[in-house]
Amino acid sequence: MVTGKRAAELLGAWIAFEDEAGQDLRPAKGRTWSRRGRTPVVKVTGKGSGRVLMAGMVCVKAGRETKLIYRTQLYRGRTGEKKGFRAREFADLLSSARRQLGGAPLIVVWDNASTHHSQALRQFLDRNSDWLTVVKLPAYAPDLNPAEAVWAHLKKSLANLAPRAVEDLHPLVKNRLRALQRRTEVLNGFVAETGLSLEPG
């Protein structure tokens, strides 16, 4: 990360922490209010399949507001349907992030997931090496990636909700993520929790 930080200073680049997650129809457990002695119950059918797939980046740069940039897609559990983001979706996310961040170079920090090693994605990274650099996190280090905190925050906000179909869940997920985009102080907190110093040094 020190190398990435120094490169960011030299290039005027944004550091973008990327990660993927998914949310299915099973609601997360959460606390709520109820009358004494009456435990609230959320009924779910247990039927239905599919999940909302998410890929997002927490983007930081000294002296600028922290940004959250994300993409979502539906997986309905149908035969032959792709179960995750592929090279084209990652390329679109990275290209869109660059546009939203004013065309500045990007230093993308992500884990060693198999989806990050496809030949098509490596070719995209090579073709765009003039503005795009990738730094890989250690083998298992979710505590170093503020994007992990985004998913935890999102899932907590969905606790005790019981959508009947994945098509009902998708707008809820997007609504929560849009709201989080506007809460810079929360995003800054996610970055601070990693213990990484991003100030010029």
Side-chain angles (χ1 to χ4, degrees):
M1 281 306 302
V2 172
T3 300
K5 177 185 169 186
R6 287 175 181 163
E9 291 174 15
L10 292 172
L11 298 172
W14 286 80
I15 300 178
F17 295 89
E18 193 277 342
D19 193 47
E20 305 93 57
Q23 177 64 48
D24 59 24
L25 292 174
R26 289 173 294 183
K29 294 180 180 178
R31 296 188 178 193
T32 188
W33 294 96
S34 71
R35 295 183 65 180
R36 185 187 298 266
R38 295 189 181 182
T39 302
V41 175
V42 177
K43 294 182 179 181
V44 294
T45 64
K47 298 179 181 179
S49 61
R51 58 198 287 114
V52 178
L53 306 174
M54 303 168 285
M57 298 189 296
V58 175
C59 305
V60 295
K61 182 178 179 180
R64 301 290 297 275
E65 283 192 354
T66 303
K67 305 286 186 183
L68 171 63
I69 298 171
Y70 68 89
R71 290 290 182 273
T72 64
Q73 60 185 8
L74 285 180
Y75 169 66
R76 295 181 175 86
R78 297 171 181 164
T79 303
E81 188 179 8
K82 60 184 179 181
K83 298 181 180 180
F85 286 84
R86 296 187 180 175
R88 186 174 68 181
E89 285 87 13
F90 282 120
D92 288 345
L93 174 63
L94 295 169
S95 298
S96 177
R98 187 189 185 208
R99 288 192 299 273
Q100 292 182 55
L101 298 172
L106 289 182
I107 297 175
V108 177
V109 182
W110 62 23
D111 59 24
N112 208 30
S114 59
T115 53
H116 299 156
H117 294 284
S118 71
Q119 182 177 357
L121 186 55
R122 287 200 306 270
Q123 290 173 348
F124 172 82
L125 297 176
D126 289 342
R127 285 196 308 272
N128 294 282
S129 59
D130 57 322
W131 61 268
L132 183 57
T133 303
V134 170
V135 176
K136 292 181 182 176
L137 287 166
Y140 184 73
D143 53 324
L144 295 180
N145 192 340
E148 294 273 1
V150 170
W151 310 137
H153 182 88
L154 168 69
K155 294 185 179 202
K156 184 177 180 181
S157 77
L158 295 171
N160 296 328
L161 295 177
R164 299 182 65 84
V166 71
E167 289 81 5
D168 299 324
L169 176 63
H170 194 199
L172 293 173
V173 168
K174 292 199 292 185
N175 179 270
R176 300 299 197 277
L177 289 173
R178 279 196 299 267
L180 192 53
Q181 282 181 316
R182 298 189 291 270
R183 299 190 64 187
T184 304
E185 74 285 357
V186 176
L187 297 175
N188 288 340
F190 296 159
V191 175
E193 284 179 357
T194 67
L196 298 173
S197 171
L198 298 169
E199 293 301 319

